[in-house]
């Protein structure tokens, strides 16, 4: 995540990439780009806001085989590394949540993501509404999207390059198509798991 492919034997900060946040040099508070020209809300300074060179305000992280992902306090997902269907960048880029299943005709939008996990070559993301999103490799059905080819952004039947919601399957409740009432997620090598609010566990992918 620092713009190179050089190995490190020590921790180094991840670059900001596409993320734009501003840190107040007077009090250390971090603000998003909408405050770039405003006073710091924490200390009132009008001249101390500077753009941070590093990924900031992160609340959750996950590591896949050759890629990494992070969720910030604004519910945005940032990914970096090299994985088919996920990302091809040495610095963080924002995951695109504006795609959905064609048959649903759902308006494009950005869910508020609260947690994330990574498998070998796929990602699971949990939003604030308790639904799960997935993208990446789908060679064993680990995305839980029924059919990758039904997805508007599917480049092949083996991977999906943009996040889409996991379908409910046998766990669908109240005639809602997608998996809901989820409180925790876990991504294995080529399979996925979720815990629902009633304590039940559902799984999909390689068995």
């Amino acid at each position: 995540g620092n713009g190179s492919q050089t190995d490190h034997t020590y921790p180094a900060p991840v670059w900001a990439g596409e993320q734009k946040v501003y840190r107040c040099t007077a009090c250390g508070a971090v603000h998003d780009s909408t405050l770039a020209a405003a006073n710091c809300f924490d200390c009132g300074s009008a001249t101390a806001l500077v753009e941070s060179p590093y990924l900031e305000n992160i609340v959750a992280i996950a590591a896949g085989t050759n890629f990494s992902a992070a969720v910030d306090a604004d519910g945005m997902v940032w990914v970096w590394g090299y994985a088919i269907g996920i990302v091809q960048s040495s610095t963080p880029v924002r995951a695109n949540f504006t795609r959905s299943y064609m048959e649903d005709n759902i308006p494009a939008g950005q869910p508020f993501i609260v947690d994330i996990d990574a498998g070998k070559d796929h990602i699971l993301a949990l939003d604030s509404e308790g639904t799960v999103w997935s993208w990446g490799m789908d060679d064993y059905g680990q995305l839980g999207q029924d059919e990758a080819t039904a997805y508007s952004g599917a480049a092949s039947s083996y991977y999906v390059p943009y996040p889409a919601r996991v379908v409910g399957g046998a766990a669908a409740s109240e005639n809602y198509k997608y998996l809901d009432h989820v409180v925790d997620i876990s991504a294995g090598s080529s399979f996925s798991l979720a815990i629902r609010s009633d304590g039940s566990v559902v799984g999909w992918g390689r068995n």
Side-chain angles (χ1 to χ4, degrees), residues 150-207:
Y151 176 63
S152 61
S156 78
S157 59
Y158 294 107
Y159 71 91
V160 175
Y162 300 102
R165 287 173 295 181
V166 173
V167 298
S173 62
E174 303 167 358
N175 296 319
Y176 183 61
K177 176 175 180 177
Y178 299 103
L179 184 63
D180 57 0
H181 301 293
V182 174
V183 297
D184 198 10
I185 52 175
S186 182
S189 177
S190 298
F191 66 95
S192 304
L193 296 169
I195 300 176
R196 306 183 76 210
S197 59
D198 62 1
S200 62
V201 180
V202 293
W204 58 96
R206 189 171 188 178
N207 198 29

Side-chain angles (χ1 to χ4, degrees), residues 59-60 70-78 95 97 110-117 123-129 131-133 135 163 185:
V59 298
V71 179
D72 67 22
D74 295 317
M76 305 293 181
V77 175
W78 305 91
F97 279 82
Q110 171 67 45
F112 191 96
I113 302 301
V114 297
D115 197 10
I116 198 165
D117 201 11
I123 293 180
L124 298 180
L126 177 64
D127 69 26
S128 58
E129 300 296 322
T131 55
V132 182
W133 300 72
W135 66 104
I185 52 175

Side-chain angles (χ1 to χ4, degrees), residues 9 12 16 21 33 44 48-49 51-52 56 73 79 81 88 94-95 100 109 111 117 164 177 183 186 189 193 195 204:
T9 58
V21 296
S33 57
L49 292 180
E51 185 174 341
S52 173
E56 299 267 12
V79 291
Q88 299 286 316
R94 180 176 164 181
S100 64
D117 201 11
K177 176 175 180 177
V183 297
S186 182
S189 177
L193 296 169
I195 300 176
W204 58 96

Side-chain angles (χ1 to χ4, degrees), residues 53-128:
Y54 304 120
L55 201 62
E56 299 267 12
N57 262 6
I58 300 303
V59 298
I61 55 174
T65 299
N66 293 306
F67 68 94
S68 302
V71 179
D72 67 22
D74 295 317
M76 305 293 181
V77 175
W78 305 91
V79 291
W80 62 96
Y82 295 90
I84 294 176
I86 296 177
V87 64
Q88 299 286 316
S89 175
S90 59
T91 58
V93 297
R94 180 176 164 181
N96 183 357
F97 279 82
T98 61
R99 305 294 183 93
S100 64
Y101 275 139
M102 294 175 66
E103 64 266 27
D104 289 329
N105 195 28
I106 301 172
Q110 171 67 45
F112 191 96
I113 302 301
V114 297
D115 197 10
I116 198 165
D117 201 11
K120 178 181 178 182
D121 291 302
H122 75 290
I123 293 180
L124 298 180
L126 177 64
D127 69 26
S128 58

